[in-house]
Amino acid sequence: MKRNLTMKFKTNILSLIIAFGGVLPLAAQQPSPLQRSMHSQPGATTPVTNEAPDNLDALDKYGLLSANPLGKTSDLIKKFMLKEGMTLLNGTLGKSNAINVEKMRNGEVLVVTICASSLFMPNDTTLRPDASKLLAPFKRYLKNPDMFWVILDMHTDNTGSEEYTDNLSLQRVNSVFDWFVDEDCDTRYLFPTASGANEPLPGENNESIDSRNKNRRLEILLVPGKKMVQEAAKGRIAF
C-alpha cells in the first residue's frame, strides 16, 4: 500500500526538547522531531481522547506520538522499550557506526537514527544494495500488527533549494517504505514522513561537511501501539 505524503512544515524544536526523555547507554543525545504533515503544528491534529483513534493516517507525527495514552502501563512499557533498545544496540545493527539509538517521551518511544549516506548515494533516491542490512532488523516490528507504530522520518541538509530538499526527502522515504512493501511486510502501522531540511539536529548548522552529513538521516521511531498497551495491562508484554 502506497501512502501519499504532504509537504511542508516548520518545527517548534523547543517542544521536542521538552518531550525528549534521555538516551540509552552509548547513544548520542540527539532529539528527534515528530510531525506527520509538512504544514502541521505540534499536536494540531491530536484528538482529545483516552484511547488511540482508528484512523492513524489522519494524524501528524505529533499526533502519532501522543495518540495512544499508556496510563498505568507506562512503567512496564518503559522497561520493555529499554530492553528492546539495548537489543538493537547489542545486535548486528548496533555494531554499525551508521546508527544511533535514543529514547523519547520519557523512555516510552525509541528512536533509531541511520545516516542517509549508508542508505543512499549522494543526491540519489534509490537505496544502495547493502541498505537492506540496516533496514531488515525493523521488519520484526511489523510482524505483530499494532504492537508498534513505526514512523519513517527522512531528513536532508540545507544544500539546494527548499523544493529540492523537500522532494529529495520525500522520494527517499518512499523508497524506504517501498522496500518494506517489497519484503511483504504488513505496512498498516508503518508511517512514512518527509521532513526535508527543516529539522537540523541541535548544534548542527549545516556549515561544515560533518554537520551536513549528520543532518542527512533517516529516523525510525518505534511507538507503542494499542496491542502493546493491552499486553502491558495484563502485566506482561509478549512480543
Side-chain angles (χ1 to χ4, degrees):
M1 179 181 66
K2 188 77 167 183
R3 287 190 173 95
N4 293 322
L5 306 184
T6 58
M7 309 285 283
K8 175 80 182 163
F9 62 84
K10 299 296 181 182
T11 302
N12 182 351
I13 194 67
L14 288 177
S15 65
L16 302 173
I17 295 173
I18 292 171
F20 188 71
V23 297
L24 291 166
L26 305 181
Q29 189 168 349
Q30 298 175 349
S32 299
L34 291 167
Q35 286 122 301
R36 179 110 174 101
S37 165
M38 292 305 236
H39 290 284
S40 66
Q41 295 298 319
T45 60
T46 305
V48 179
T49 177
N50 291 322
E51 58 184 29
D54 294 325
N55 187 13
L56 298 178
D57 283 327
L59 300 180
D60 62 16
K61 287 186 285 183
Y62 284 107
L64 286 169
L65 182 65
S66 60
N68 193 22
L70 305 187
K72 295 181 179 179
T73 66
S74 178
D75 289 342
L76 180 57
I77 287 177
K78 287 179 183 179
K79 293 179 181 178
F80 172 76
M81 296 298 271
L82 176 61
K83 181 179 178 181
E84 195 61 35
M86 295 305 300
T87 298
L88 285 169
L89 278 174
N90 295 328
T92 303
L93 187 65
K95 296 176 182 179
S96 169
N97 292 328
I99 73 113
N100 180 58
V101 182
E102 311 161 282
K103 58 183 181 179
M104 290 186 69
R105 209 172 74 182
N106 295 318
E108 296 173 352
V109 175
L110 288 180
V111 185
V112 181
T113 301
I114 303 177
C115 184
S117 61
S118 297
L119 300 173
F120 301 94
M121 295 294 289
N123 301 309
D124 201 356
T125 59
T126 301
L127 285 168
R128 298 168 60 114
D130 57 350
S132 60
K133 295 179 181 179
L134 295 173
L135 298 177
F138 297 96
K139 292 165 60 175
R140 67 192 293 261
Y141 298 110
L142 302 172
K143 289 182 178 180
N144 192 348
D146 212 2
M147 181 64 76
F148 290 89
W149 300 347
V150 182
I151 302 172
L152 305 172
D153 193 16
M154 186 65 67
H155 301 260
T156 70
D157 61 28
N158 65 350
T159 304
S161 67
E162 186 175 60
E163 180 181 5
Y164 173 77
T165 55
D166 285 353
N167 188 57
L168 180 63
S169 64
L170 183 64
Q171 291 189 50
R172 282 183 167 181
V173 79
N174 278 333
S175 293
V176 175
F177 184 87
D178 288 345
W179 182 89
F180 284 98
V181 173
D182 293 340
E183 291 291 308
D184 295 322
C185 295
D186 186 335
T187 58
R188 286 176 294 171
Y189 297 94
L190 181 66
F191 306 95
T193 65
S195 296
N198 288 307
E199 299 179 7
L201 294 168
E204 302 299 339
N205 54 16
N206 285 311
E207 292 182 358
S208 68
I209 294 176
D210 181 64
S211 180
R212 290 191 292 271
N213 184 58
K214 290 178 180 178
N215 285 327
R216 295 191 297 268
R217 68 203 189 274
L218 171 67
E219 293 177 341
I220 301 179
L221 300 109
L222 303 176
V223 183
K226 288 183 182 180
K227 188 172 292 186
M228 186 183 297
V229 176
Q230 293 170 357
E231 291 284 342
K234 299 175 184 176
R236 62 185 296 269
I237 300 176
F239 173 52

